[in-house]
Each structure stands twice: as C-alpha cells, then as structure tokens.
C-alpha cells in the first residue's frame, strides 16, 4: 500500500511540473496499475480489461479525427445546451476592454519576471511640474468647509482657475489644446486634489473620465473632434454624461430613454433628418452646470429612414445644453458633498444625425463604446480619489496618535489604537500600489475591464475601512464638523464612491469573477466562440482545440494544486534576487488553486453559477487579492525594495494571503456537491489551512512607522497636499508632530521634576513658567514648550458655533 502511495505521489509531482494532458494521465495510471494489481491480487483477466480500456482511451484521444468525431462533437452539442444565455449588453461588456495581468493570474502560473519587467511608474518632467505648481496652487485655494457648508459649490475663482489651467483637458492630446497627460499623471492629479477636497477632485476627474472628451477621442468624427475638443480642453464647455435613470441603474442596458429617427425642423430648416429624443436621467455629475450633454439612449427607426432595422440599439449623442427641450439645473445633494450632481430630462428634443457620437457609423455601438471607456476611466478616477483620502487619513492619524496623549501616553501606544493604525497603513500601501500598477496598464495601451472592477471595488472598500479606523482613533476630533476637521467630510462622502460606476455589491458578486471567468480565462472565451460558430466543421475543430487545451490545463492545475498544498508552495521557482520569495511562491500556489477552483465551479455548476453569487463573489475575492498582492510586490520592487518598508509589505501581503485562504475555504464549504467539496478540500488544503493573519508585533511595527516622521511615512503618503501654514488644521498637525518629538526630553524633565515635588502647578503653562523660574529649563526652552502646548491645543480642540452661524450655514 505504501509503495502505491509513493508511486502515485511521484506521478503527481511529475504531472505538476509538466503540462498534463488526458494521454499523460492515462499513461500515469498505466504506471500505477501493476502495483495496484499486485497489492490487490487482481487476476490477469481483469488487468487485461483495464489495460484494454486505457489503451482505447489513448487511441480515441490521441487520434485527432476520432477525438473530434467521437468526443468533441458530442461535448459541443451538450455544451451548447447548457451554455447560459448572454444578453447583447452582457456580450458587449465581455468583449469590451483587454486582458492584462488578470490573464496571468487566471492562467495558474504567473510570469513574475514579466511583471517585474514592466516599466516603473513615473511622471514626465512636464507632468510633475504641473502637479508641483498648478495642482499645488489649486489645493491652496481650496477651503473645504467653505465649499461644503457655506457655498455648496466651488468658489467662482476656483472654477475659473480649473478651467484656465487646463484641468478639464488632461486626457485631451496637445494637438487639440489639451495637456495630453498620461494615465499615471491623471491619477496623481486627482489623488492630490482628493487629499484636500472631494468636491474639487470630482469636478476635475469627471471631464477626464467617462464622458464626452474620452468618447470623442476614441469614436468621434474628425468634425466632432475639431468642434469640441479644444473648447473642452480650455474649459469653454462643461461636459457631463447621462446614463443612469430611475429605472436603469446597475442594469444600465435596460434604459427606457429613446430616440426615434424622423424628419423635423432644426435651426430654421424643415425636413432635416434627425432624432426626436425623450429621456429622464439622474445622478449625473456636473449636469447642473453642463453646457454639453452626452446622452445614452435606445434608437428606433420605425420608418426605416436610415436602414432596414427598426431597433438600432443603444446609441450615444452629444447635445448642447441650450438645445430646446433640454432640462438641467436642479441638484441632488449626495451626503453633504458640494460637487454638482443632478437630474436631467429631455422632452421631444430634436437633433440632427450629426449629433451622434461617431456619426451614423456608430449607431447601435453605444454600449460597447461605454464599456471600453469605462474600463479605462474606472481604472483611474475612483482609485485615485480613494487613495488621496486614504493617504490623508494615514498621515493625519499617525500624527494625531503621537500628539494626542491620555494617561501620560501617546494614544498610538495603546494596542487597540495600534490595530487601527496597522490597518490604515497597510491598506493604504496596498491600494496605492494597485492604483499605480493599474494606471501603468492604461499607459501601456490596455483597457483592463476586469482589473478596473477589482481596483475600483477594493480602493473604495478599503478606503471605507481606513476612514472608519481614522475616525475611531480621532474620536471627538473626527465627528465635530468645522474648518479644523480634515476627516469628517471624507467620512460622509465615502459611500458615494462605493455606489457609483458599478455598485460594489454587484461589482463583487457579479462582475469581477463573472466577467473574468469568460474574459480572462485562457480557454472559456474560445469555447464560447466555438459554440457560436455557424460552420459545423470549423466549430468542431475550434471547440476541440479549446476543449482539450482546457482539459490539459485543468489536469495540470489539479496535480499542481495538490503538490503545492503539500509543500506550501516551497520549491516553486521565483525571480532570482527577490526579497519576499515566499510571497511569490504562495501567490503562484494560489493562482494555480484559483484556476482549478474556477474550472470546477464552471464545469459543475454551469449556468447556475451566475445565480450563485456568493460562490462567484468568493472566487472574485481570490482573484482580487492575487492582483493586489501582485501590485504590492511590483511597487516594492520599483521602490528599490527598501527594507524599512517591509513591515507595511509583510502586513499587507500576510493579510491578503490569509484572506485568499479563507475565501477558498468558503468556496469549498459552500459548494453544493458533497463529492466536489471533499475532493477540492484534499486537492487544495491537503495539509490543512496553515496561513495566519498578521501578528500583533507586526501591527505594532506598522503603527510605529505611521507615528514617526521619516522616509517610510513620506513614501506612504507621497503625492498628497501638505500645507505648511500652521493656521491650517493639517499644517498645524504636521508642526505639532515635529514639536512633540522635539520636546519629548523636556517634557520628561518636567514630569520627573513634578514627581519629586520640584514643580507643584497642575496647569501645564504655569508649570512651564515655574520650571523656567526655578532654572530647570532655559527661557528659550520655555518658549519652545509654550509653542508646543499651543500647537497641541490647536490640534486637539474642535470647532464650535453660535446657533445663528449654524442656521446661516444650513440656509
């Protein structure tokens, strides 16, 4: 028996490191059979039958003609019957965008050398200069309390500065008067502004995200580009894009808004061929101030004036807001945020056909156009704005926890507060890594549809964790709104990012794995395409290639998963010279396990997987965490692998890998088939679940980094706006942190003197004067301590108002 197990184990190891096929598995079984026969004392007749069956399998599967005729054709017919229906909008979403690093993770064997060889993230000289000058100047102009409480809008001079400085034209090429910035620069600009004002960040990012400018760049006619792009770049047009309506939110493909091809009067001319539009949209950012409205609607041609089809599909148009029948101006009020957002309606709005984005050639392509642009835009704007807020929370929380004292200790020294600081620091490090890695993908020409969903979801969800923890450690300082509160509005507005551009619940349960399983898998999309191929012979050939490639892929992953589970990933080759080699090995192991789990779920559950959202969500969690881990390793390498950053890297990676383990355990535990549950449990966790979350000691080290000025803290929070004015709340906190550290020895001297009875005053300022008069400290040191007291008091104090002032603000 032991010999059988040893031989089987050797075979499994060989299959784990060499590409498995059906034939290789049959040959492996043929090696094991004689040993089993001897152990079980099988007769020669039974043994002959077994060998005959195995040899038959080799013949059928090894001869392409027989395989396609006997196996592939039969499976193809069955596959067509169980293939779940995919709507036109779902198909366009699947087809949109490109596969990038998600393909490597789905492949079960990521090429880490390839990842590390991608260019390092970075900005051009012109981009960095813009951030250091125009963006810095804009941030200095922003008073978020005035914006959100008093004006409910940006001040007029800020609006004008944004327009004049080209903020609306970051993605527009220089040939059309724009800045022509990279995705990385776009991300850096939004992130820095978001660390100062969410309202300003949204105002800047929307014209550079999914909207008229991006749609025109990719799909507009030359005449449309010439007409609008320069005006958009200079801020002479304020754009918005209207997609969501009361009855079409996450299911945007069901929009009821319509356009009917007909003839009408336009600009005094009668009989103009155009479209009569009716729409009702809501949640449209910048709509209240927009001069140029992008619109998604369903186009109908009942009189067949432009073709033979009546239903022409989702189409996009660009409509000046002054067009008769367009209604804009009213506002929503999303969680006390002052960015302009509101509804728009249109009743019998007649426009000529040349208002269609891309002209008649783009009729019916609107949904695909939106999905492709969303893949790029969602990769940048929301992750960047979330990271800006997270970095602000990390920098201020670390400083506040060092400055604020209770029981004669900085509150950051309490272990409960350390836990929160560790989460704040590590989540910020990992999400910022993913932000930069994803922006790099866009600059490399990718439109990463699955990755954009991953980074949007985790940037906003982890942003929520970070701001919640930051509010906890700030206590009353965080909840008391006013000019000196730098977290309150960020906390209030966090759910907005979670809701928009794909609500996070649906993003996690439906989009990440649901789209990735088809789009990023190395074989599934090929199988689906073959099943829809009308030519029978070609369909069989394509399906045969995809099916048996898929089978070999699954068999390899099965053996690899088991072997890697036995070793914990040890022995897996990793790039030479890397620090954290065990993380690379564990990521490879879990990539293999993920590929196996995904295949099992698709094969066993089939179309019902679409309805089993919790299993789909957990598989999506595994893919997401693998991507975040990849980005973290890439960032650490690009930064030169500074050893002092390792506590952040270790906490982030250990937390993510532990969450991968738990997500896989959840998939296994909740799989509806008992046999599959038991098999997956053995293949994935043959030695049990061995990973643990980050230790308390590691959390202590991360917390210490956040409370200590230095290179690590500066790298973690690089790119945010840090005011130097001590009248500013954040500027005062920065000065208070430096002062607290500089005065620690003097404070200790005063505490010791008080304990020995040399100082009697209970008031801190009087005690400083008493120490000076007693000669315990110099006059200069007394001034230093008095300044330190004033700074700490400013940091700790919260705003208060007269009833009249509050009523005036509400009015």
């Amino acid at each position: 028996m032991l010999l059988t197990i040893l031989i089987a184990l050797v075979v499994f190891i060989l299959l784990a490191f060499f590409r498995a096929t059906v034939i290789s598995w049959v040959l492996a079984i043929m090696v094991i059979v004689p040993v089993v026969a001897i152990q079980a004392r099988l007769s020669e007749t039974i043994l002959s039958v077994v060998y005959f069956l195995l040899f038959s399998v080799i013949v059928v599967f090894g001869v392409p003609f027989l395989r396609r005729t006997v196996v592939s054709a039969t499976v193809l017919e069955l596959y067509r019957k169980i293939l779940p229906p995919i709507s036109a909008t779902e198909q366009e979403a699947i087809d949109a965008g490109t596969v990038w690093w998600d393909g490597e993770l789905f492949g079960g064997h990521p090429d880490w050398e390839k990842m590390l060889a991608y260019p390092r993230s970075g900005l051009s000289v012109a981009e960095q200069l813009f951030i250091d000058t125009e963006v810095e100047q804009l941030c200095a102009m922003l008073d978020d309390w005035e914006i959100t409480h008093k004006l409910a809008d940006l001040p007029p001079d800020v609006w004008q500065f944004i327009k004049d400085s080209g903020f609306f034209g970051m993605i527009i090429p220089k040939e059309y008067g724009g800045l022509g910035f990279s995705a990385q620069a776009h991300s850096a600009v939004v992130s820095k502004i978001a660390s100062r004002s969410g309202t300003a960040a949204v105002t800047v990012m929307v014209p550079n995200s999914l909207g008229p400018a991006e749609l025109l760049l990719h799909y507009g006619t030359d005449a449309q580009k010439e007409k609008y792009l320069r005006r958009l770049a200079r801020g002479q047009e304020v754009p918005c894009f209207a997609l969501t309506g009361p009855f079409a939110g996450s299911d945007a493909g069901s929009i009821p808004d319509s356009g009917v091809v007909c003839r009408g009067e336009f600009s005094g001319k009668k009989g103009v061929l155009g479209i009569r539009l009716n729409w009702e949209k809501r949640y449209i950012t910048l709509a209240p101030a927009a001069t140029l409205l992008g619109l998604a609607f369903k186009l109908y041609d009942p009189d067949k004036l432009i073709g033979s089809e009546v239903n022409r599909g989702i189409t996009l148009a660009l409509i000046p807001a002054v067009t008769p029948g367009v209604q804009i101006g009213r506002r929503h009020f999303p969680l006390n945020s002052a960015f302009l957002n509101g509804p728009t309606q249109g009743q019998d709005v007649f426009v000529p056909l040349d208002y269609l984005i891309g002209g008649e050639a783009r009729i019916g392509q609107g949904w695909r156009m939106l999905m492709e642009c969303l893949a790029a835009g969602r990769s940048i704007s929301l992750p960047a704005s979330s990271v800006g807020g997270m970095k602000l929370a990390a920098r201020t929380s670390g400083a506040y926890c060092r400055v604020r004292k209770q029981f004669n200790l900085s509150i950051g020294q309490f272990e409960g507060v350390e836990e929160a600081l560790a989460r704040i620091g590590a989540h910020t490090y990992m999400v910022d890594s993913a932000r930069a890695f994803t922006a790099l993908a866009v600059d490399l020409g990718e439109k990463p549809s699955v990755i954009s969903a991953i980074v949007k979801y985790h940037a906003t969800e982890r942003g929520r964790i970070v701001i919640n923890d930051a509010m906890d450690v700030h206590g009353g300082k965080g909840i008391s709104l006013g000019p000196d509160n730098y977290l309150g509005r960020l906390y209030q507005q966090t759910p907005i990012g979670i809701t928009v551009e794909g609500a996070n619940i649906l993003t996690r349960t439906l989009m990440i794995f649901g789209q990735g399983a088809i789009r990023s898998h190395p074989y599934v999309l090929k199988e689906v395409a073959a099943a829809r191929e009308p030519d029978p012979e070609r369909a069989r050939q394509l399906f045969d290639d995809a099916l048996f490639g898929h089978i070999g892929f699954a068999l390899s992953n099965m053996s690899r998963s088991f072997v890697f589970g036995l070793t914990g990933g040890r022995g897996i080759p990793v790039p030479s010279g890397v620090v954290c080699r065990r993380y690379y090995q564990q990521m490879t192991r879990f990539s293999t396990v993920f590929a196996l789990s995904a295949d099992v779920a698709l094969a066993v559950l089939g179309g019902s997987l679409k309805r089993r959202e919790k299993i789909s969500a957990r598989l999506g969690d595994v893919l997401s965490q693998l991507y975040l881990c990849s980005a973290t390793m890439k960032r650490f390498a690009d930064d030169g692998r500074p050893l002092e950053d390792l506590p952040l890297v270790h906490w982030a990676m250990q937390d993510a890998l532990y969450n991968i383990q738990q997500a896989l355990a959840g998939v296994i535990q909740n799989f509806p088939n008992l046999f599959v549950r038991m098999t997956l449990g053995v293949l994935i966790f043959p030695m049990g679940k061995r990973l643990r979350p980050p230790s308390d000691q590691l959390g202590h080290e991360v917390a210490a980094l956040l409370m200590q000025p230095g290179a690590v803290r500066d790298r973690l929070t690089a790119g945010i706006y840090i005011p130097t004015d001590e009248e500013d709340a954040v500027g005062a906190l920065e000065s208070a942190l430096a002062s607290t550290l500089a005065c620690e020895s003097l404070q200790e001297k005063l505490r010791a003197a008080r304990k020995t009875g040399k100082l009697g005053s209970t008031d801190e300022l009087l005690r400083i004067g008493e120490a000076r008069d007693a000669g315990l400290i110099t006059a200069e040191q007394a001034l230093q301590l008095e300044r330190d007291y004033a700074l700490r008091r400013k940091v700790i104090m919260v705003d208060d108002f007269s009833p009249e002032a509050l009523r005036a603000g509400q009015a």
Side-chain angles (χ1 to χ4, degrees):
M1 187 66 183
L2 181 60
L3 180 61
T4 305
I5 294 173
L6 289 173
I7 292 176
L9 185 58
V10 170
V11 169
F12 251 89
I13 292 172
L14 291 173
L15 290 172
F17 288 94
F18 296 96
R19 186 58 180 269
T21 64
V22 174
I23 294 176
S24 65
W25 271 80
V26 171
L27 291 173
I29 293 171
M30 293 176 75
V31 171
I32 299 171
V33 163
V35 182
V36 175
I38 294 170
Q39 295 285 326
R41 298 180 179 179
L42 297 177
S43 67
E44 290 186 8
T45 303
I46 295 176
L47 194 59
S48 298
V49 171
V50 171
Y51 273 117
F52 175 76
L53 293 174
L54 293 174
F55 183 74
S56 299
V57 171
I58 291 176
V59 171
V60 172
F61 283 83
V63 179
F65 173 76
L66 286 175
R67 187 179 67 233
R68 289 172 189 159
T69 305
V70 176
V71 181
S72 297
T74 304
V75 177
L76 176 58
E77 291 307 310
L78 177 63
Y79 187 83
R80 282 171 169 161
K81 291 178 181 178
I82 65 173
L83 186 66
I86 300 176
S87 68
T89 53
E90 286 178 318
Q91 186 61 52
E92 288 178 336
I94 290 169
D95 293 339
T98 59
V99 177
W100 188 54
W101 190 248
D102 46 325
E104 291 282 335
L105 298 175
F106 249 103
H109 200 296
D111 184 347
W112 302 117
E113 296 277 10
K114 176 182 176 181
M115 182 193 77
L116 295 174
Y118 285 132
R120 184 183 178 195
S121 298
L123 306 178
S124 69
V125 173
E127 291 167 343
Q128 189 62 57
L129 182 62
F130 185 83
I131 290 172
D132 293 340
T133 53
E134 281 85 353
V135 179
E136 186 81 6
Q137 186 177 346
L138 172 61
C139 289
M141 297 170 69
L142 299 171
D143 180 340
D144 204 47
W145 178 248
E146 178 188 43
I147 291 167
T148 57
H149 184 71
K150 297 179 180 179
L151 300 178
D153 193 2
L154 296 174
D157 62 323
V158 171
W159 269 104
Q160 198 59 49
F161 182 81
I162 287 173
K163 293 176 180 180
D164 293 345
S165 300
F167 281 91
F168 283 177
M170 286 192 291
I171 66 169
I172 298 175
K174 293 179 181 178
E175 63 188 278
Y176 291 108
L179 297 176
F181 279 179
S182 64
Q184 295 170 80
H186 175 188
S187 177
V189 169
V190 171
S191 186
K192 184 166 185 173
I193 299 172
S195 71
R196 186 63 169 171
S197 166
T199 299
V202 171
T203 302
V204 167
M205 77 187 195
V206 166
N208 293 285
S209 186
L210 176 63
E214 187 170 15
L215 290 166
L216 286 172
L217 283 170
H218 292 291
Y219 312 108
T221 65
D222 290 341
Q224 288 171 339
K225 292 177 182 179
E226 288 294 334
K227 181 177 181 179
Y228 287 118
L229 286 179
R230 286 185 175 80
R231 294 180 59 79
L232 287 166
R234 292 194 293 261
Q236 294 171 315
E237 299 280 6
V238 177
C240 71
F241 191 85
L243 174 61
T244 304
F247 298 100
S250 298
D251 183 16
S254 66
I255 53 176
D257 313 288
S258 64
V260 177
V261 179
C262 61
R263 294 189 181 275
E265 183 175 346
F266 187 79
S267 296
K269 296 181 180 179
K270 295 183 179 180
V272 174
L273 184 62
I275 305 167
R276 193 167 301 281
L277 292 157
N278 287 277
W279 72 84
E280 183 182 20
K281 305 286 191 179
R282 64 178 180 177
Y283 308 148
I284 311 306
T285 301
L286 295 188
T291 62
L292 194 60
L293 174 73
L295 182 71
F297 60 94
K298 288 182 177 176
L299 182 64
Y300 301 93
D301 184 15
D303 297 328
K304 300 182 179 179
L305 298 175
I306 56 174
S308 59
E309 297 180 21
V310 174
N311 298 328
R312 301 304 300 268
I314 295 175
T315 303
L316 310 182
L318 208 53
I319 304 169
V322 296
T323 305
V326 175
Q327 300 174 34
I328 60 170
R330 294 188 64 81
R331 293 180 60 177
H332 302 309
F333 191 35
L335 294 175
N336 276 18
S337 183
F339 67 86
L340 299 184
N341 182 278
T344 173
Q345 297 86 30
Q347 295 181 347
D348 292 330
V349 178
F350 184 80
V351 298
L353 287 179
D354 60 10
Y355 277 28
L356 298 178
I357 297 177
E360 291 187 50
R362 292 291 181 179
I363 287 175
Q365 299 181 27
W367 190 245
R368 181 173 186 136
M369 292 158 66
L370 290 173
M371 289 301 97
E372 289 183 343
C373 288
L374 183 62
R378 189 168 54 187
S379 300
I380 300 168
S381 298
L382 286 172
S385 60
S386 292
V387 164
M390 293 170 77
K391 287 184 175 182
L392 174 68
R395 194 170 185 96
T396 56
S397 295
Y400 187 80
C401 287
R402 188 65 178 264
V403 171
R404 176 68 163 150
K405 294 184 178 181
Q406 292 288 275
F407 309 104
N408 289 323
L409 286 174
S410 295
I411 63 172
Q413 293 179 260
F414 293 96
E415 289 193 351
V417 176
E418 278 187 349
E419 277 189 325
L421 285 178
R423 286 192 295 267
I424 290 171
H427 285 324
T428 300
Y429 185 92
M430 180 167 264
V431 174
D432 191 32
S433 303
R435 174 200 65 82
F437 194 41
T438 308
L440 173 65
V442 177
D443 282 335
L444 292 175
E446 303 290 341
K447 294 181 179 179
S449 53
V450 176
I451 286 174
S452 71
I454 290 172
V455 73
K456 183 270 175 180
Y457 173 82
H458 281 276
T460 53
E461 283 295 337
R462 291 181 186 229
R464 171 154 58 182
I465 293 171
V466 165
I467 187 58
N468 282 345
D469 280 333
M471 291 291 284
D472 282 353
V473 301
H474 277 76
K477 175 72 175 179
I479 65 172
S480 300
L481 290 174
D484 285 341
N485 188 321
Y486 39 79
L487 292 179
R489 294 303 194 204
L490 177 60
Y491 173 78
Q492 285 182 306
Q493 294 161 19
T494 293
I496 298 172
I498 285 165
T499 302
V500 301
E501 292 193 10
N504 276 11
I505 290 177
L506 294 182
T507 298
R508 175 175 177 261
T509 57
L510 293 177
M511 294 175 62
I512 294 175
F513 181 75
Q515 189 175 358
I518 298 176
R519 194 74 179 91
S520 306
H521 193 286
Y523 295 103
V524 168
L525 193 59
K526 296 176 183 178
E527 290 166 342
V528 172
R532 292 178 176 168
E533 171 60 46
D535 182 345
E537 183 59 35
R538 179 167 171 76
R540 276 198 300 272
Q541 181 175 350
L542 291 174
F543 190 76
D544 178 79
D545 292 342
L547 176 64
F548 283 93
H550 195 162
I551 290 172
F553 174 73
L555 292 174
S556 290
N557 287 328
M558 185 169 70
S559 54
R560 284 160 55 86
S561 294
F562 180 72
V563 173
F564 294 166
L566 290 175
T567 66
R570 291 176 177 83
I572 298 174
V574 298
S576 59
V578 301
V579 184
C580 305
R581 61 183 293 108
R582 285 291 294 134
Y583 294 145
Y584 285 94
Q585 291 174 334
Q586 287 165 333
M587 285 191 293
T588 298
R589 175 200 170 191
F590 282 130
S591 174
T592 301
V593 167
F594 168 70
L596 171 66
S597 303
D599 274 336
V600 170
L602 290 167
V604 176
L605 299 178
S608 69
L609 181 59
K610 191 174 180 180
R611 298 186 298 276
R612 295 184 181 274
E613 296 174 19
K614 295 174 185 176
I615 289 178
S616 176
R618 292 185 182 100
L619 289 169
D621 291 342
V622 177
L623 177 61
S624 296
Q625 298 284 1
L626 284 170
Y627 180 74
L628 295 175
C629 287
S630 302
T632 301
M633 290 290 92
K634 170 65 172 166
R635 183 232 180 106
F636 184 58
D638 285 351
D639 285 348
R641 301 186 177 97
L643 297 181
E644 57 269 29
D645 286 1
L646 278 176
L648 291 164
V649 174
H650 287 320
W651 201 104
M653 293 296 294
Q654 290 173 24
D655 177 69
L657 291 168
Y658 175 76
N659 286 330
I660 289 173
Q661 173 186 268
Q662 298 308 104
L664 288 167
V667 171
I668 296 170
Q669 179 184 346
N670 292 280
F671 212 87
N673 184 296
L674 176 60
F675 175 75
V676 173
R677 283 203 303 271
M678 296 176 63
T679 304
L680 282 178
V682 171
L683 290 174
I684 295 174
F685 298 119
M687 304 296 289
K689 298 186 288 293
R690 310 292 293 273
L691 297 182
R692 297 291 178 265
S695 67
D696 292 345
Q697 176 58 33
L698 185 54
H700 168 76
E701 294 172 17
V702 173
L705 293 176
L706 265 64
M707 293 189 291
Q708 180 65 42
V712 177
R713 182 171 179 259
D714 289 342
R715 274 194 299 271
L716 179 65
T717 60
I720 67 171
Y721 177 70
I722 304 174
T724 56
D725 183 3
E726 291 180 2
E727 292 302 311
D728 183 281
V730 176
L733 181 57
E734 285 289 303
S735 296
L737 175 61
S739 177
T740 295
L741 294 172
C743 291
E744 279 186 344
S745 60
L746 293 175
Q747 292 285 9
E748 183 57 37
K749 182 183 289 189
L750 265 61
R751 278 194 294 272
R754 189 181 179 194
K755 283 183 180 180
T756 58
K758 294 180 181 179
L759 298 176
S761 177
T762 57
D763 180 86
E764 185 172 351
L765 283 178
L766 293 177
R767 192 161 58 247
I768 293 170
E770 189 180 352
R772 179 195 57 216
D773 295 341
L776 295 176
I777 58 174
T778 66
E780 183 179 351
Q781 289 172 331
L783 290 174
Q784 184 181 358
L785 287 169
E786 288 169 354
R787 178 176 180 273
D788 179 63
Y789 173 82
L791 285 169
R792 284 187 288 112
R793 178 177 171 80
K794 178 171 177 55
V795 165
I796 293 166
M797 295 301 289
V798 299
D799 298 288
D800 53 68
F801 307 89
S802 69
E804 294 77 20
L806 280 180
R807 281 196 293 270
Q810 293 301 313

